[in-house]
Amino acid sequence: MLLPLAIAVALAACSKKEDAATAQAPAAPEFKLDESNLPAVNRFALADLDTTKDACVDLAGFANDKWLAANPIPSDRTSWGAFEMLDERSNAVQHQLVEQAAADAGATGVKKIVGDLWATGMDEAKINAQGIQPLAGHLAAIDALADGAAVAEYLRTSAAKGENFLFGFGAEADFDKPGLNIAYAMQGGLGLPDSKYYFDADKKDIRDAYVKHIAKVLELSGVAAADAQKQAADVMAFETRLAKVSKSNEEMSRDVSLYYHPVTLADADALAPNFPWTKFFESQGVAAPEKFSLAIPAFHQEVSKALGDTDASVWRSYLRFHTVDGAAPYLSDAFAQESFNFYSKTLRGQKEMKPRWKRVLGAINQQAGEALGQMYVQVAFPADSKAKMEALVANLGTALKSRIENLEWMSADTKAKALTKQAAFTTKIGYPDKWREWSGLDTARDSYIGNVLAAQEFNYRWNLSKIGQPVDKTEWGMPPQQVNAYYNPLQNEIVFPAAILQPPFFDPAASDEVNYGGIGAVIGHEMTHGYDDQGSRFGPTGKFENWWTDADAKGFSGRTDKLIAQFDGYTTADGQKLNGRHTLGENIADLGGLATAYDAMKKATDGQPDPMTDGLTRDQRFFLNWATVWRRNFTPEELKTRIATDEHALAQFRAVGAPSNLPAFAAAFKCEPGKPMVREGDAKVVIW
């Protein structure tokens, strides 16, 4: 589950709202796609099976170990598997599109925006010649800050341009009235992946490397080497202070209520007198609200204290570092290389920087993703895929309804409400019914970072324009070219961008069991997010409310505790333990999604003879394609970072976790009791 709050608030600069033009279908193609130059997709293949392994002992090893051994991680990646292969394919499609856009001298609209970002991003000589100069105005303003009041004013003025790394601010649906957008202010300000990185003993080497990185960035920005080292220590101490009052990724993922702390402006001003929120709203051009969500109030209280008791020199060092560090990927090679050295190489084990074209594509997707998406769906989303997906979603909905109706552990009252929520699901497939309007974003061919900052401000202003307005239910939280899917609890909707609707997830030409074991399980996964430990706290309209009886809530908790224990018991080959509580929501969704997809597959094929394809039964192919989806190699550094920060369990354990609880899996592979892939008795987890 990718909670929309995390998209709209923490990354508020990535979206903006204008009047959207109706687009019931992709526009008539104006782009050409050379499919012969696209990377292959990753399908389940009989030859990939490692027959020296036993599926009843380790489904992931049986299905994937042979493939993983033959497919090492590319040097510009930190992981490699089914998702990454589709991402490479999507990038290759986009690469052709952006080059065509940039070549059109008379381009207008989204084509011009995409073309300008691409052309300036690829002009390496000009970017290198400009060096740090594009940030000269920013740095001069920071150098002039003399006291806390001046710092607070700078934070307001820079935020108004969409440049705010100290805290997240943006629009999202009100937990209490999900049809209306209100403002949310979140924690932020940390350069390391999680607040725990500032304190955990096993992260000391990362902390030391981060301090060196801060010093190097400051030095590149013009600070003398000796001064840069002292300032780096000051920045690290300041961030550690913020980390002490910040919630960890695990805490945020396992208690969605932390996002919602409604206050009046008067309440917020009293909490943070050195950073009055009344003045902040005015500076952003947002009308004074009756309430807004000041999430993690202790964090904002500490920021206010720091404005009063921290020397302005520390603030200047902190602001200078984060300004340059955030801009580094769009600056000259020395800055981009240093950013890579720490964030990709040290933190995640990436051996080589991505080629410039991939990095520029990433920036376009971040700043103008849906603009590029309009171009993408013209050439990369077959019309019949949407209809076939709609049929799959309908079948999964019927299967989920039946599973809820037949739950033995849930009372009739709670069950009726669960069914009401299921009936209220809405689905988005492929691409938006309405495209975002991008008029007002002015781009040119003179400055890459100038275009990036213009888009960032444009997106931020668009996001702020939604505050106090009704929720636009046609909006998407991901562009069509992103290989992902999500459930939005505040709108009770499931969303499947076009790019994921390819093998091994979805293949219009594939047999039912393959599609149900792939995209069917993904559909079921997103539906089940409506009933995971956090999604189940929202009702059918998206309102944050309790629709459970006390007894049913207790029964649910007892079952989820067993799933926590299951994943706590998994250990990587190098001895690292998984965190079952942090990954609980995704594990619930996997378990419910796979079970629901299996039921739907059995109903869809009822009465049809088993084709016994390549000597495998229909049920075996269903579970093997599920495992194929989760084949993935990681660098050691990426593995460690994922365990520490990601609410998803590692792929190899997702491949085995859900099937081991399903009797249908044991029956399909004739697994005997006692085998590792057969969970029995109290160890067996049944939830939805």
PDB file of all heavy atoms in Angstrom, residues 123 141 189 224 303 400 429 478 579 682:
ATOM      1  N   ASP A 123      22.047  18.197 -22.293  1.00  0.00           N
ATOM      2  CA  ASP A 123      23.107  19.126 -22.708  1.00  0.00           C
ATOM      3  C   ASP A 123      24.180  19.171 -21.620  1.00  0.00           C
ATOM      4  O   ASP A 123      24.296  20.125 -20.847  1.00  0.00           O
ATOM      5  CB  ASP A 123      22.518  20.511 -22.958  1.00  0.00           C
ATOM      6  CG  ASP A 123      23.487  21.432 -23.682  1.00  0.00           C
ATOM      7  OD1 ASP A 123      24.694  21.114 -23.717  1.00  0.00           O
ATOM      8  OD2 ASP A 123      23.042  22.473 -24.192  1.00  0.00           O
ATOM      9  N   ALA A 141      21.152  34.289  -0.584  1.00  0.00           N
ATOM     10  CA  ALA A 141      20.055  34.524   0.360  1.00  0.00           C
ATOM     11  C   ALA A 141      20.303  33.789   1.669  1.00  0.00           C
ATOM     12  O   ALA A 141      20.039  34.318   2.763  1.00  0.00           O
ATOM     13  CB  ALA A 141      18.738  34.090  -0.259  1.00  0.00           C
ATOM     14  N   GLY A 189      13.139  16.890   6.815  1.00  0.00           N
ATOM     15  CA  GLY A 189      14.402  17.493   7.213  1.00  0.00           C
ATOM     16  C   GLY A 189      15.579  16.578   7.398  1.00  0.00           C
ATOM     17  O   GLY A 189      16.676  17.038   7.724  1.00  0.00           O
ATOM     18  N   ALA A 224      35.384  26.468   2.265  1.00  0.00           N
ATOM     19  CA  ALA A 224      36.746  25.967   2.463  1.00  0.00           C
ATOM     20  C   ALA A 224      36.716  24.617   3.164  1.00  0.00           C
ATOM     21  O   ALA A 224      35.841  24.359   4.005  1.00  0.00           O
ATOM     22  CB  ALA A 224      37.562  26.961   3.282  1.00  0.00           C
ATOM     23  N   VAL A 303      11.224  22.178  15.779  1.00  0.00           N
ATOM     24  CA  VAL A 303      11.688  23.138  14.769  1.00  0.00           C
ATOM     25  C   VAL A 303      11.549  24.559  15.304  1.00  0.00           C
ATOM     26  O   VAL A 303      12.449  25.392  15.164  1.00  0.00           O
ATOM     27  CB  VAL A 303      10.904  22.970  13.452  1.00  0.00           C
ATOM     28  CG1 VAL A 303      11.180  24.144  12.503  1.00  0.00           C
ATOM     29  CG2 VAL A 303      11.275  21.653  12.771  1.00  0.00           C
ATOM     30  N   LEU A 400     -13.600 -12.079  -3.741  1.00  0.00           N
ATOM     31  CA  LEU A 400     -13.388 -11.463  -2.427  1.00  0.00           C
ATOM     32  C   LEU A 400     -14.701 -11.396  -1.659  1.00  0.00           C
ATOM     33  O   LEU A 400     -14.734 -11.673  -0.445  1.00  0.00           O
ATOM     34  CB  LEU A 400     -12.792 -10.072  -2.591  1.00  0.00           C
ATOM     35  CG  LEU A 400     -12.564  -9.289  -1.287  1.00  0.00           C
ATOM     36  CD1 LEU A 400     -11.622 -10.040  -0.349  1.00  0.00           C
ATOM     37  CD2 LEU A 400     -12.005  -7.892  -1.582  1.00  0.00           C
ATOM     38  N   ILE A 429      -7.797   1.847 -14.394  1.00  0.00           N
ATOM     39  CA  ILE A 429      -6.952   0.939 -15.163  1.00  0.00           C
ATOM     40  C   ILE A 429      -6.271   1.680 -16.308  1.00  0.00           C
ATOM     41  O   ILE A 429      -6.932   2.363 -17.097  1.00  0.00           O
ATOM     42  CB  ILE A 429      -7.772  -0.237 -15.737  1.00  0.00           C
ATOM     43  CG1 ILE A 429      -8.377  -1.077 -14.609  1.00  0.00           C
ATOM     44  CG2 ILE A 429      -6.907  -1.120 -16.643  1.00  0.00           C
ATOM     45  CD1 ILE A 429      -9.394  -2.098 -15.077  1.00  0.00           C
ATOM     46  N   MET A 478      -0.126   8.030  -9.598  1.00  0.00           N
ATOM     47  CA  MET A 478       1.022   7.520 -10.353  1.00  0.00           C
ATOM     48  C   MET A 478       0.780   7.771 -11.831  1.00  0.00           C
ATOM     49  O   MET A 478      -0.363   7.703 -12.292  1.00  0.00           O
ATOM     50  CB  MET A 478       1.195   6.005 -10.151  1.00  0.00           C
ATOM     51  CG  MET A 478       1.623   5.570  -8.780  1.00  0.00           C
ATOM     52  SD  MET A 478       1.690   3.765  -8.683  1.00  0.00           S
ATOM     53  CE  MET A 478       2.168   3.563  -6.956  1.00  0.00           C
ATOM     54  N   ASN A 579      11.456  -7.939   9.603  1.00  0.00           N
ATOM     55  CA  ASN A 579      10.626  -7.275  10.605  1.00  0.00           C
ATOM     56  C   ASN A 579       9.165  -7.499  10.248  1.00  0.00           C
ATOM     57  O   ASN A 579       8.608  -6.829   9.385  1.00  0.00           O
ATOM     58  CB  ASN A 579      10.953  -5.777  10.643  1.00  0.00           C
ATOM     59  CG  ASN A 579      10.216  -5.037  11.745  1.00  0.00           C
ATOM     60  OD1 ASN A 579       9.153  -5.458  12.204  1.00  0.00           O
ATOM     61  ND2 ASN A 579      10.770  -3.912  12.168  1.00  0.00           N
ATOM     62  N   ASP A 682      -1.640 -24.037  14.573  1.00  0.00           N
ATOM     63  CA  ASP A 682      -1.564 -22.645  15.005  1.00  0.00           C
ATOM     64  C   ASP A 682      -0.625 -21.813  14.138  1.00  0.00           C
ATOM     65  O   ASP A 682      -0.716 -20.585  14.131  1.00  0.00           O
ATOM     66  CB  ASP A 682      -1.097 -22.572  16.465  1.00  0.00           C
ATOM     67  CG  ASP A 682      -2.186 -23.014  17.434  1.00  0.00           C
ATOM     68  OD1 ASP A 682      -3.365 -23.037  17.013  1.00  0.00           O
ATOM     69  OD2 ASP A 682      -1.857 -23.346  18.581  1.00  0.00           O
TER      70      ASP A 682
END
